[in-house]
Amino acid sequence: MTQSMPLLRVSHVAKAFDGFRALDDVSFDVDAGEMVALIGPNGAGKSTCFNVLNGQLKPDAGSIAFDGTEAAGLAPRTIWQKGIARTFQIAATFASLSAVENVQLALASRERELHRWWKPIAAMHREEALDLLDRVGMAAAAERTCGVLAYGDIKRVELAIALASRPRLLLMDEPTAGMSSAERASMMALVKQLVVDQRLAVLFTEHSMDAVFGYADRVIVMARGRVIAAGAPDAIRRDAKVNAVYFGAGSLLDETRDQALP
């Protein structure tokens, strides 16, 4: 019986800056319909890994296979067109535009229609934009400008923008940064539902251990540019090497219990 190829396969990827190895022989897989957390202390290499995956940086060595096709070194837009979308730690929207207009812009970009200056954005893909906002729980705020929305709501709009490209893999950089405990729980439950309903693959970085251990199917741990552990959440919480990296003599299990989601 042959084993199916994972949607994303990262193999022996390396990236250095002036001799500093930000990524050192990094390898991992992400399957369709799987939610995987990529965690590690500051400077572990998580952001560099994301920047390599979505084309902002070209790896020095290694392979990034997406759906069986090599993607290492491709331009960000080419990678986006292949089906890899990304959200950022600091959400980026056009503050003067409404939530629905922000999503309409993303849809117009997907269809390569931004050059059609004679056609107002407000008339383009409105129904699909409203559907995407409804999917992330923002339909009621569709006509409000992003400049007046709460930060948690802006993160939801950013998620709708990412979904506009119809991604198969979503890279989420600190999806709950700046959110309250209740907002974190709501956002992670929403993403988990997308994973289940659409077989979307999600790779996310996160400093909040409640979000990681409450929702990830697997956890990959990085330190000093290398993957030091990978596995099911329960195994990672009890991994002595991982706990030493994070808390010295402390415990990820205790930390997660302290941050239990409501």
Side-chain angles (χ1 to χ4, degrees), residues 78-196:
T78 303
I79 290 175
W80 177 72
Q81 290 170 339
K82 282 181 173 290
I84 300 177
R86 180 177 179 179
T87 66
F88 292 84
Q89 180 176 354
I90 301 175
T93 59
F94 292 99
S96 62
L97 297 182
S98 67
V100 69
E101 287 170 337
N102 269 274
V103 181
Q104 285 176 282
L105 269 176
L107 291 167
S109 178
R110 184 193 73 196
E111 300 299 328
R112 303 184 181 186
E113 295 173 340
L114 291 179
H115 63 285
R116 297 183 182 179
W117 53 268
W118 64 88
K119 189 174 183 180
I121 286 295
M124 302 170 72
H125 308 289
R126 180 174 173 83
E127 291 306 314
E128 187 176 357
L130 289 171
D131 179 67
L132 285 168
L133 286 173
D134 183 57
R135 207 178 303 175
V136 301
M138 287 297 293
E143 303 301 337
R144 299 184 67 194
T145 60
C146 284
V148 302
L149 293 177
Y151 188 68
D153 289 339
I154 291 174
K155 298 282 276 189
R156 286 176 177 263
V157 174
E158 186 193 33
L159 177 58
I161 291 169
L163 294 175
S165 66
R166 297 173 183 163
R168 297 176 64 196
L169 170 64
L170 180 58
L171 307 174
M172 303 189 77
D173 193 355
E174 297 282 347
T176 69
M179 291 185 176
S180 68
S181 178
E183 287 174 327
R184 287 201 306 270
S186 179
M187 172 61 85
M188 296 308 292
L190 169 61
V191 175
K192 187 72 170 184
Q193 197 61 50
L194 290 170
V195 170
V196 173

Side-chain angles (χ1 to χ4, degrees), residues 2-62:
T2 58
Q3 189 173 6
S4 61
M5 181 75 69
L7 181 63
L8 176 70
R9 170 155 285 172
V10 178
S11 303
H12 308 292
V13 167
K15 182 66 183 179
F17 300 97
D18 296 326
F20 171 74
R21 293 184 180 182
L23 297 177
D24 187 3
D25 196 32
V26 170
S27 298
F28 60 84
D29 296 342
V30 180
D31 289 319
E34 187 179 32
M35 192 165 176
V36 179
L38 181 66
I39 68 172
N42 291 334
K46 305 183 299 297
S47 293
T48 301
C49 185
F50 265 37
N51 289 337
V52 166
L53 290 176
N54 85 322
Q56 290 183 294
L57 292 174
K58 184 176 181 179
D60 299 330

Side-chain angles (χ1 to χ4, degrees), residues 213-227:
F213 292 107
Y215 291 94
D217 298 306
R218 283 191 302 118
V219 180
I220 300 166
V221 186
M222 293 186 65
R224 297 183 180 180
R226 298 183 67 90
V227 173

